[in-house]
Amino acid sequence: MITTRAAIARGPQLGWEQAELRLDEPKAHEVRVKFAAAGLCHSDHHITNGDAKVRFPIVGGHEGAGVVEAVGPDVRRVNVGDRVVCSYIPACGGCRPCSTGHQNMCEKGLNAATGMFLDGTFRFHLGDEDLGGFCSLGTFSQYAVVSEWACVPLADDIPFEIAALVGCGVPTGWGSAVYAAGVRAGQTVVIYGAGGVGSNAVQGARYAGAKNVVVVDPVAFKRDMAKTFGATHTFADAGSAHDFVVETTWGQLADHAICTPGVVTEDIVNAAVQVVGKGGKVVVTAVSKLGEPAIHVHAGSLISYQRQVRGALFGDCNPLYDIPRLLGLYRSGDLKLDELITRRYRLDEVNDAYRDLDDGTNIRGVIVHE
């Protein structure tokens, strides 16, 4: 057992608290990772805002990269000393989703909201309290015990700060465009929200060959950054974007709409449904506030245009294939990841980081562990 410093949440609206935790040794199919970097994803902000149903107290963080320090019995995927990026959804390879090409729905990820391991126990402890790590990771801790199935080997030339981002935000956004929406060359795509996930939906749509990549975001900084990632047109509101799409497509409307705001609302989804034309597809990647419906669409508007509305988890990506693939595109200069990082923070600045996110001054913040 070792001691680790971590940022934990004790309940909604309480922010993140610094704590010294005890960490158990890894058990079968588990490894201990010393994290070098952790991404500051909006999903962790949903915990402290009360929009995510989790078991409190909980160790935050589900984007992370570091080095394997210890392994438990029967571990085969990685070894001590390996550099790894952790996928927030594990990929065991043997369950029904994994074996049918849907690693993003691996059955080993069933305890994401509690952080409890499959044997019914926890690895983090604070006094008499047992704590789980968010998505069974807890990358807001200097050290964590995680499933070997959440570990993807990382090449030596990829910085940890970059690698942390491909554990969630990058594939979620990229895959929402390339896989879930199925963007094709020459198409028109409208993306609502240009933060850490939406920026990568922009990159995915542009790389897939979309002619018009239209971004809707009320924050000027994010609209400007969206152009860096491949947006062809940006608007502060959905109405202006809709008018542009009508004009530029001669009334045929968009082929796809992707919803990637910090919090998705009914108004955003309705705008997305109305902006796509015949056979158009709406992909919902963001989550809504608890108790607030985000999808309430008249059936006629779907049937008459044969529109589709679907959700996307991890952007339909397969971690073991797509994480190395995306890093390969970064290596070749075809995927911008350095530009995603607006600011780096210490672990004790995590609350400042999320205030910056709320203020719209961050695309993606990164915690650099000491």
Side-chain angles (χ1 to χ4, degrees):
M1 182 177 291
I2 67 169
T3 300
T4 182
R5 184 163 161 261
I8 68 172
R10 289 193 172 274
Q13 311 302 328
L14 298 178
W16 297 99
E17 171 188 327
Q18 303 292 304
E20 294 287 333
L21 307 178
R22 302 191 316 278
L23 180 64
D24 292 337
E25 293 299 313
K27 297 183 179 181
H29 297 292
E30 299 171 7
V31 304
R32 184 174 73 233
V33 176
K34 180 180 181 181
F35 286 114
L40 290 152
C41 182
H42 206 122
S43 295
D44 297 281
H45 202 34
H46 287 306
I47 293 174
T48 50
N49 280 346
D51 297 326
K53 291 183 178 180
V54 300
R55 175 189 182 274
F56 290 109
I58 192 168
V59 180
H62 66 286
E63 291 184 341
V67 177
V68 176
E69 279 207 336
V71 301
D74 305 320
V75 170
R76 298 290 182 269
R77 184 170 294 177
V78 294
N79 298 300
V80 172
D82 284 356
R83 303 172 88 247
V84 296
V85 54
C86 287
S87 169
Y88 89 95
I89 296 178
C92 72
C95 67
R96 180 179 177 182
C98 282
S99 63
T100 55
H102 302 286
Q103 293 175 2
N104 62 314
M105 295 186 285
C106 177
E107 292 177 356
K108 295 297 190 292
L110 77 165
N111 292 330
T114 67
M116 183 175 68
F117 281 79
L118 297 178
D119 65 358
T121 63
F122 297 87
R123 303 292 173 268
F124 289 114
H125 308 282
L126 178 61
D128 295 331
E129 291 182 298
D130 295 328
L131 290 81
F134 187 40
C135 295
S136 299
L137 293 177
T139 63
F140 291 177
S141 175
Q142 295 171 310
Y143 300 86
V145 170
V146 305
S147 167
E148 68 166 316
W149 297 306
C151 295
V152 179
L154 178 65
D156 291 340
D157 65 322
I158 303 295
F160 286 121
E161 296 170 26
I162 296 300
L165 305 182
V166 297
C168 173
V170 175
T172 297
W174 172 276
S176 291
V178 175
Y179 291 144
V183 176
R184 296 291 182 266
Q187 292 186 327
T188 295
V189 183
V190 183
I191 296 166
Y192 298 85
V197 174
S199 295
N200 290 292
V202 170
Q203 295 204 76
R206 193 63 172 156
Y207 192 77
K211 177 184 178 182
N212 299 305
V213 181
V214 182
V215 165
V216 181
D217 198 295
V219 180
F221 166 68
K222 293 183 179 180
R223 295 197 302 273
D224 290 341
M225 286 300 299
K227 296 174 183 176
T228 299
F229 298 117
T232 58
H233 306 84
T234 63
F235 298 92
D237 63 274
S240 298
H242 187 277
D243 291 343
F244 168 78
V245 169
V246 171
E247 180 181 359
T248 198
T249 64
W250 297 84
Q252 293 184 29
L253 300 177
D255 300 284
H256 307 282
I258 304 171
C259 301
T260 54
V263 178
V264 73
T265 65
E266 186 173 355
D267 287 344
I268 291 173
V269 176
N270 284 337
V273 170
Q274 294 304 315
V275 86
V276 297
K278 293 183 177 181
K281 183 183 293 184
V282 175
V283 175
V284 180
T285 299
V287 300
S288 60
K289 288 184 175 293
L290 286 178
E292 294 186 11
I295 299 178
H296 184 194
V297 181
H298 191 280
S301 68
L302 300 181
I303 296 168
S304 60
Y305 271 41
Q306 200 166 300
R307 293 169 167 131
Q308 300 177 53
V309 180
R310 60 151 295 183
L313 178 64
F314 202 63
D316 283 13
C317 286
N318 289 304
L320 293 179
Y321 171 72
D322 284 301
I323 286 177
R325 179 192 188 201
L326 290 168
L327 290 174
L329 290 172
Y330 164 74
R331 189 183 285 114
S332 65
D334 294 307
L335 183 64
K336 297 179 184 295
L337 299 185
D338 294 285
E339 293 84 350
L340 288 171
I341 302 176
T342 312
R343 183 180 163 188
R344 293 156 177 82
Y345 301 85
R346 300 189 310 270
L347 181 61
D348 61 7
E349 295 177 314
V350 60
N351 289 311
D352 296 332
Y354 280 115
R355 276 192 290 271
D356 290 343
L357 184 149
D358 281 337
D359 291 341
T361 60
N362 260 356
I363 298 299
R364 177 65 98 224
V366 173
I367 290 173
V368 178
H369 286 289
E370 298 172 0

